Every structure is written in C-alpha cells, then in structure tokens.
Amino acid sequence: MPELPEVEFARRQLMRWFKGRHVVRTEADDTRIFRGANRRDFTRIKGRLVNAERRGKYLLLTFEHDRGLLSHLGMTGRYSRSTEKTLPYSRARFFLSDGHIIHYRDPRLFGRMEPVPAQSLPTLPVVASLGVDPWTDPWSAKVLRAALEPTKQAIKVALMDQSRIAGLGNIHAAEALYRARIHPARPPSSLTAREWSTLARAIKTTLTYALKVEQGEEIEYVEEGGENPFLVYGRAKERCGRCGATIESRVQAGRTTHFCPACQV
Ligand SMILES: [Zn+2]
C-alpha cells in the first residue's frame, strides 16, 4: 500500500517521464476512481506537465492551461510507462508526444483521480486538511511533538492520522516506532523529550530507507513474493533482528501492527 516514499517515488518518475514531452491526448475508463469528479475534465488535459507536487500521500499534478489533477494511489494504484495501448488494470492514460503512454493502473480501484483547475489544487479540502509532511515541511522533534501530543490515541494510530502527520501509513509508522524503540500502544503524552527526538529522526530514516528501496538502491525488492525489506512490518513470529525476541502483532484501530515486545517499551 503506497505511503509517502512510494508516492514520492511515483512523483519523481512522473517528472522524468513527462520531461521534454507533452500530452497529446488523454483517455479514461468509466470507473469509480473519479469518485464524483468530472471524468471529461481529465480528457481535457493536454500539453506540458508544469509541476508535480506531493502532499502526504496525494499527488498534485499541474498541466498547461490551468489543468490540475489530484491523484491518490489508494491501495493498489501505480503509474506505468509503456508503448502498449493496453495494460492490465489500466484505468486512465496519457498519450505523450514521444509515443509513450503513461497508464494509471489500479486493480482494486481504491485510488482516486480528481481533475480540477490547477490553481485550486492546494485548497481542495482533502489537501488543505493534511497535517505536516515529514519530507517536505520543516521537520523536528518539536514539530512532531506539537502534532501528536494533544491526542489521546495510541502513538501508532496518531502517526497514521493524516490530519496530524501526512504520509505515514501502517507500514512506515510501525517501522519508525521500531527504529525508535517505542511501543505502538504508548499514549503520545508519555513520551520523553529524548523519545520525541529519537522518533523524529526514526521517521526520517524510515522514509529515506523506503525511498531507496523503491529506487532499487538497497535491495532487489520485487512487488509481490519478494523479500520483505522491512525491519518489523510483516514479521510476526520472526525473531527481532535487534534483541532476538519474537515479533508480535496486534490489531490497533482496525490495522495490524507489528512490534517487538522486548525492545519497544
Ligand atoms: Zn527486539
């Protein structure tokens, strides 16, 4: 499931693919990814990609002629470049001047595309309500603490609350807490100043590592059936790489959390 690093990777990929080319035409199938937005406005996107920004897990794409596109990859969305007109699960397509086609592919259709005037992208309610982005906004223990300390939710749940911290999901919240040796069920108000610092650093480290994995720099990471590149996520019943205890899983706010009961206190 794409979180901040995977969406950031998609953003960089799109910037590269669109660079020096322009959109000749676009087409989109009638699927629920448009969620009430006007699908015809998507087919009016033409010309250069002026900018691709990311806020949390959202992509904000700006094209010429004040055409904008809000894109969320949902659970299984991704962009692929091809010379083929059809690809499995392709839901929307950009035809480029160099003959390539950029497909938005989404098997389970939990993604979202909302074509809007480019200038209104930052003020869309789903974008305006996002909390601090640990990758693009100024980031420190102080910022993290201010965002999470007021809530009584468990720290893991609070980390995934997009209105507080934008971009972390189930995987990278668990990874960051493992790196910081903080138990996922702790109330944020119980964290010491030192723990806030450690957690702020751990979040950056987790995101940096995940982005490297996406770029294929760390290990060969195959989408399905590949090696698990994570320290704790998806490792229930395995041994903790740090202390040797058995990794546990528990459900928190409907999501399965993985943690080491011995070295995350
Ligand atoms: Zn451990």
Side-chain angles (χ1 to χ4, degrees), residues 137-150:
D137 290 332
W139 185 247
S140 66
K142 202 175 155 194
V143 169
L144 176 65
R145 185 174 188 163
L148 300 192
E149 202 171 36

PDB file of all heavy atoms in Angstrom, residues 137-150:
ATOM      1  N   ASP A 137       8.041  19.455   4.643  1.00  0.00           N
ATOM      2  CA  ASP A 137       7.899  20.564   5.591  1.00  0.00           C
ATOM      3  C   ASP A 137       9.088  20.568   6.554  1.00  0.00           C
ATOM      4  O   ASP A 137       9.748  19.551   6.725  1.00  0.00           O
ATOM      5  CB  ASP A 137       6.596  20.411   6.394  1.00  0.00           C
ATOM      6  CG  ASP A 137       5.360  20.647   5.536  1.00  0.00           C
ATOM      7  OD1 ASP A 137       5.466  21.408   4.559  1.00  0.00           O
ATOM      8  OD2 ASP A 137       4.311  20.056   5.842  1.00  0.00           O
ATOM      9  N   PRO A 138       9.334  21.713   7.202  1.00  0.00           N
ATOM     10  CA  PRO A 138      10.373  21.730   8.241  1.00  0.00           C
ATOM     11  C   PRO A 138      10.062  20.653   9.282  1.00  0.00           C
ATOM     12  O   PRO A 138       8.900  20.517   9.689  1.00  0.00           O
ATOM     13  CB  PRO A 138      10.247  23.132   8.843  1.00  0.00           C
ATOM     14  CG  PRO A 138       9.582  23.950   7.793  1.00  0.00           C
ATOM     15  CD  PRO A 138       8.681  23.017   7.037  1.00  0.00           C
ATOM     16  N   TRP A 139      11.072  19.902   9.667  1.00  0.00           N
ATOM     17  CA  TRP A 139      10.827  18.715  10.490  1.00  0.00           C
ATOM     18  C   TRP A 139      11.755  18.697  11.698  1.00  0.00           C
ATOM     19  O   TRP A 139      12.964  18.896  11.561  1.00  0.00           O
ATOM     20  CB  TRP A 139      11.067  17.458   9.639  1.00  0.00           C
ATOM     21  CG  TRP A 139      10.733  16.172  10.335  1.00  0.00           C
ATOM     22  CD1 TRP A 139      11.602  15.191  10.716  1.00  0.00           C
ATOM     23  CD2 TRP A 139       9.442  15.699  10.707  1.00  0.00           C
ATOM     24  NE1 TRP A 139      10.930  14.152  11.320  1.00  0.00           N
ATOM     25  CE2 TRP A 139       9.602  14.441  11.323  1.00  0.00           C
ATOM     26  CE3 TRP A 139       8.145  16.231  10.601  1.00  0.00           C
ATOM     27  CZ2 TRP A 139       8.526  13.709  11.819  1.00  0.00           C
ATOM     28  CZ3 TRP A 139       7.075  15.501  11.106  1.00  0.00           C
ATOM     29  CH2 TRP A 139       7.282  14.251  11.696  1.00  0.00           C
ATOM     30  N   SER A 140      11.188  18.487  12.865  1.00  0.00           N
ATOM     31  CA  SER A 140      11.996  18.401  14.088  1.00  0.00           C
ATOM     32  C   SER A 140      11.176  17.686  15.153  1.00  0.00           C
ATOM     33  O   SER A 140       9.976  17.446  14.980  1.00  0.00           O
ATOM     34  CB  SER A 140      12.332  19.811  14.593  1.00  0.00           C
ATOM     35  OG  SER A 140      11.132  20.462  14.993  1.00  0.00           O
ATOM     36  N   ALA A 141      11.829  17.378  16.271  1.00  0.00           N
ATOM     37  CA  ALA A 141      11.125  16.761  17.393  1.00  0.00           C
ATOM     38  C   ALA A 141      10.000  17.682  17.879  1.00  0.00           C
ATOM     39  O   ALA A 141       8.917  17.230  18.243  1.00  0.00           O
ATOM     40  CB  ALA A 141      12.108  16.480  18.522  1.00  0.00           C
ATOM     41  N   LYS A 142      10.265  18.982  17.822  1.00  0.00           N
ATOM     42  CA  LYS A 142       9.278  19.960  18.278  1.00  0.00           C
ATOM     43  C   LYS A 142       8.013  19.923  17.402  1.00  0.00           C
ATOM     44  O   LYS A 142       6.881  19.954  17.907  1.00  0.00           O
ATOM     45  CB  LYS A 142       9.931  21.346  18.225  1.00  0.00           C
ATOM     46  CG  LYS A 142       9.286  22.373  19.103  1.00  0.00           C
ATOM     47  CD  LYS A 142      10.090  23.668  19.064  1.00  0.00           C
ATOM     48  CE  LYS A 142       9.169  24.829  19.404  1.00  0.00           C
ATOM     49  NZ  LYS A 142       9.752  26.116  19.070  1.00  0.00           N
ATOM     50  N   VAL A 143       8.226  19.857  16.107  1.00  0.00           N
ATOM     51  CA  VAL A 143       7.109  19.796  15.158  1.00  0.00           C
ATOM     52  C   VAL A 143       6.295  18.524  15.381  1.00  0.00           C
ATOM     53  O   VAL A 143       5.059  18.550  15.441  1.00  0.00           O
ATOM     54  CB  VAL A 143       7.649  19.853  13.698  1.00  0.00           C
ATOM     55  CG1 VAL A 143       6.556  19.529  12.688  1.00  0.00           C
ATOM     56  CG2 VAL A 143       8.257  21.224  13.411  1.00  0.00           C
ATOM     57  N   LEU A 144       7.004  17.411  15.516  1.00  0.00           N
ATOM     58  CA  LEU A 144       6.345  16.117  15.721  1.00  0.00           C
ATOM     59  C   LEU A 144       5.536  16.117  17.014  1.00  0.00           C
ATOM     60  O   LEU A 144       4.374  15.707  17.049  1.00  0.00           O
ATOM     61  CB  LEU A 144       7.413  15.012  15.752  1.00  0.00           C
ATOM     62  CG  LEU A 144       6.924  13.591  16.055  1.00  0.00           C
ATOM     63  CD1 LEU A 144       6.007  13.077  14.947  1.00  0.00           C
ATOM     64  CD2 LEU A 144       8.111  12.649  16.236  1.00  0.00           C
ATOM     65  N   ARG A 145       6.156  16.616  18.057  1.00  0.00           N
ATOM     66  CA  ARG A 145       5.506  16.648  19.368  1.00  0.00           C
ATOM     67  C   ARG A 145       4.250  17.526  19.337  1.00  0.00           C
ATOM     68  O   ARG A 145       3.198  17.143  19.862  1.00  0.00           O
ATOM     69  CB  ARG A 145       6.504  17.174  20.403  1.00  0.00           C
ATOM     70  CG  ARG A 145       5.977  17.136  21.803  1.00  0.00           C
ATOM     71  CD  ARG A 145       7.073  17.525  22.788  1.00  0.00           C
ATOM     72  NE  ARG A 145       6.610  17.309  24.153  1.00  0.00           N
ATOM     73  CZ  ARG A 145       7.412  17.243  25.187  1.00  0.00           C
ATOM     74  NH1 ARG A 145       8.720  17.360  25.032  1.00  0.00           N
ATOM     75  NH2 ARG A 145       6.925  17.051  26.401  1.00  0.00           N
ATOM     76  N   ALA A 146       4.349  18.679  18.704  1.00  0.00           N
ATOM     77  CA  ALA A 146       3.199  19.589  18.631  1.00  0.00           C
ATOM     78  C   ALA A 146       2.041  18.934  17.877  1.00  0.00           C
ATOM     79  O   ALA A 146       0.873  19.148  18.191  1.00  0.00           O
ATOM     80  CB  ALA A 146       3.609  20.893  17.947  1.00  0.00           C
ATOM     81  N   ALA A 147       2.369  18.108  16.881  1.00  0.00           N
ATOM     82  CA  ALA A 147       1.318  17.470  16.076  1.00  0.00           C
ATOM     83  C   ALA A 147       0.640  16.321  16.815  1.00  0.00           C
ATOM     84  O   ALA A 147      -0.555  16.095  16.660  1.00  0.00           O
ATOM     85  CB  ALA A 147       1.914  16.965  14.754  1.00  0.00           C
ATOM     86  N   LEU A 148       1.406  15.585  17.625  1.00  0.00           N
ATOM     87  CA  LEU A 148       0.852  14.354  18.210  1.00  0.00           C
ATOM     88  C   LEU A 148       0.501  14.434  19.695  1.00  0.00           C
ATOM     89  O   LEU A 148      -0.367  13.700  20.161  1.00  0.00           O
ATOM     90  CB  LEU A 148       1.839  13.193  18.021  1.00  0.00           C
ATOM     91  CG  LEU A 148       2.223  12.795  16.594  1.00  0.00           C
ATOM     92  CD1 LEU A 148       2.953  11.459  16.616  1.00  0.00           C
ATOM     93  CD2 LEU A 148       1.009  12.691  15.682  1.00  0.00           C
ATOM     94  N   GLU A 149       1.171  15.291  20.426  1.00  0.00           N
ATOM     95  CA  GLU A 149       0.992  15.268  21.884  1.00  0.00           C
ATOM     96  C   GLU A 149      -0.451  15.535  22.342  1.00  0.00           C
ATOM     97  O   GLU A 149      -0.895  14.953  23.335  1.00  0.00           O
ATOM     98  CB  GLU A 149       1.951  16.250  22.570  1.00  0.00           C
ATOM     99  CG  GLU A 149       2.179  15.876  24.016  1.00  0.00           C
ATOM    100  CD  GLU A 149       3.282  16.714  24.641  1.00  0.00           C
ATOM    101  OE1 GLU A 149       3.392  17.912  24.307  1.00  0.00           O
ATOM    102  OE2 GLU A 149       4.037  16.171  25.466  1.00  0.00           O
ATOM    103  N   PRO A 150      -1.229  16.385  21.618  1.00  0.00           N
ATOM    104  CA  PRO A 150      -2.587  16.667  22.114  1.00  0.00           C
ATOM    105  C   PRO A 150      -3.542  15.469  22.052  1.00  0.00           C
ATOM    106  O   PRO A 150      -4.571  15.488  22.703  1.00  0.00           O
ATOM    107  CB  PRO A 150      -3.096  17.760  21.159  1.00  0.00           C
ATOM    108  CG  PRO A 150      -1.875  18.309  20.489  1.00  0.00           C
ATOM    109  CD  PRO A 150      -0.898  17.193  20.444  1.00  0.00           C
TER     110      PRO A 150
END
